[in-house]
Amino acid sequence: MPTQAVGQTPDEAHVQPVTSGTEDPRLGLEVGRFWAGALATMLVAALIGLAADFILEEVLNLEVQAQADLFGTGSDMLAWVVAGALFALVAAIVLYLLVMSTPRPRSFFGWVVALATVILAMVPFAGEFDIVPAILAAIVWVVIGCAVWSLLTGTLSRTVVRRTTA
């Protein structure tokens, strides 16, 4: 079935991207470009973790509550890099599944990312904690969550295609 980008006239639709079906039979998703955007989002989220840890700890000499070191690197900075990248990857998978299965996937995705971000931002306050490192970790999570949400919804806007009948 031929496709055209949303907002294009049939004459402007020269290339037929590889698409995957969505809940709406008139819409599809350019799968390759979507996942390229997801990988770029993972890179940005990882770099936010890296920059936040470096700026706060090395430049400003402030302590940030460390993230779980999933790969046993022994580095708080790498733990933040991995945490940001994994958050973006899970968010991209969730968005893809929502696009394939639900009406208004962008609305559901916004709620999922917002709630996940709130939970992750509150984790540093569980149990015993030092207030300043916990607040700084929460702020880093809010920045990562906002970046992931905005980049993935922007990616979705550019990769949803309208199928034409020809």
Side-chain angles (χ1 to χ4, degrees), residues 68-135:
D69 189 3
L70 299 175
F71 296 112
T73 63
S75 168
D76 290 347
M77 188 178 293
L78 285 178
W80 273 107
V81 168
V82 169
L86 286 177
F87 182 77
L89 176 61
V90 170
I93 292 168
V94 167
L95 179 57
Y96 183 80
L97 293 173
L98 289 170
V99 167
M100 295 299 119
S101 63
T102 63
R104 302 192 59 201
R106 194 177 317 230
S107 297
F108 289 106
F109 180 70
W111 276 101
V112 169
V113 170
L115 292 170
T117 300
V118 167
I119 291 166
L120 290 169
M122 292 298 106
V123 167
F125 299 99
E128 292 184 30
F129 62 90
D130 292 328
I131 191 73
V132 172
I135 289 171

Side-chain angles (χ1 to χ4, degrees), residues 6-150:
V6 175
Q8 282 186 334
T9 63
D11 295 338
E12 296 172 324
H14 298 104
V15 178
Q16 295 182 6
V18 175
T19 62
S20 179
T22 63
E23 188 270 341
D24 184 343
R26 296 166 298 182
L27 297 178
L29 186 67
E30 292 182 58
V31 178
R33 288 185 64 214
F34 175 84
W35 286 109
L39 288 174
T41 301
M42 287 176 62
L43 176 62
V44 170
L47 288 173
I48 290 170
L50 175 80
D53 188 79
F54 177 76
I55 292 167
L56 293 172
E57 292 204 358
E58 303 300 323
V59 175
L60 300 177
N61 216 17
L62 298 169
E63 183 182 342
V64 179
Q65 187 163 326
Q67 294 304 299
D69 189 3
L70 299 175
F71 296 112
T73 63
S75 168
D76 290 347
M77 188 178 293
L78 285 178
W80 273 107
V81 168
V82 169
L86 286 177
F87 182 77
L89 176 61
V90 170
I93 292 168
V94 167
L95 179 57
Y96 183 80
L97 293 173
L98 289 170
V99 167
M100 295 299 119
S101 63
T102 63
R104 302 192 59 201
R106 194 177 317 230
S107 297
F108 289 106
F109 180 70
W111 276 101
V112 169
V113 170
L115 292 170
T117 300
V118 167
I119 291 166
L120 290 169
M122 292 298 106
V123 167
F125 299 99
E128 292 184 30
F129 62 90
D130 292 328
I131 191 73
V132 172
I135 289 171
L136 292 174
I139 290 169
V140 174
W141 274 118
V142 168
V143 172
I144 290 172
C146 289
V148 167
W149 172 80
S150 68

